[in-house]
C-alpha cells in the first residue's frame, strides 16, 4: 500500500474509533434532558399539575413519581373513563408519546392540551419529573 493511502487509512480508522463512542455519548446525553430547562418548560403544565411529595390532584392529576405508576390510578383525582381504563403503566416512552399527542395515546381523555411539538422540551420535562424527590 502506498504511504499516502496508509496514512489516510490510519486517519480514517482513528476518526471512526473516536467518533463512534462520542456519537453514543452525545445521543444518550441528549435523551437524558436537562432538568433545569424541564422545570421551566413544566410551567405550561403547572397550571393543572403539581409535582413533589406534597403534590395533590387539582384541575389535573398530580405527577409526583408518575414514571412507573399505573395510568389513572391516583385517588385524589377524578379521571375520565378513558384514562381510568387505559390499562398501562406510565413509562418514559409512554409519557413522551402522551406529551406529544395526548389524544393519540388515550383517546377520550379529558386533558385539554394539544401536545408539545419539541422533542427536546419533552426530554427536559421528563428529566425534571425524574429529578423531583
Amino acid at each position: 500500500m502506498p504511504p499516502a493511502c496508509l496514512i489516510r487509512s490510519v486517519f480514517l480508522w482513528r476518526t471512526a474509533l473516536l467518533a463512534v463512542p462520542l456519537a453514543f455519548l452525545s445521543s444518550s446525553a441528549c435523551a437524558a434532558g436537562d432538568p433545569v430547562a424541564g422545570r421551566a418548560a413544566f410551567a405550561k403544565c403547572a397550571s393543572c399539575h403539581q409535582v413533589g411529595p406534597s403534590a395533590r390532584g387539582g384541575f389535573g392529576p398530580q405527577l409526583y413519581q408518575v414514571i412507573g405508576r399505573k395510568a389513572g390510578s391516583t385517588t385524589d383525582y377524578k379521571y375520565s373513563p378513558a384514562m381510568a381504563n387505559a390499562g398501562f403503566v406510565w413509562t418514559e416512552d409512554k409519557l413522551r408519546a402522551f406529551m406529544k399527542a395526548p389524544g393519540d395515546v388515550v383517546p377520550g381523555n379529558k386533558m385539554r392540551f394539544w401536545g408539545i411539538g419539541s422533542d427536546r422540551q419533552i426530554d427536559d420535562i421528563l428529566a425534571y419529573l425524574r429529578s423531583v424527590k
Side-chain angles (χ1 to χ4, degrees), residues 63-124:
L63 300 178
Y64 181 57
Q65 297 180 335
V66 66
I67 299 166
R69 181 195 310 156
K70 184 176 185 276
S73 66
T74 62
T75 58
D76 60 349
Y77 182 74
K78 176 90 169 112
Y79 291 93
S80 66
M83 186 62 79
N85 297 312
F88 62 81
V89 171
W90 288 114
T91 63
E92 288 196 30
D93 287 339
K94 190 65 90 168
L95 282 166
R96 184 175 284 106
F98 188 77
M99 284 190 271
K100 194 173 230 15
D104 291 350
V105 176
V106 183
N109 79 80
K110 63 182 181 179
M111 187 165 89
R112 298 294 167 241
F113 183 70
W114 299 109
I116 300 170
S118 166
D119 289 334
R120 182 66 195 181
Q121 269 195 348
I122 292 171
D123 288 340
D124 292 344

Side-chain angles (χ1 to χ4, degrees), residues 6-44:
L6 182 60
I7 291 170
R8 183 170 182 245
S9 178
V10 169
F11 176 76
L12 290 173
W13 274 106
R14 271 193 193 160
T15 302
L17 290 174
L18 289 172
V20 170
L22 289 175
F24 285 112
L25 177 64
S26 72
S27 68
S28 65
C30 287
D34 175 2
V36 174
R39 182 177 183 177
F42 188 80
K44 69 180 74 150

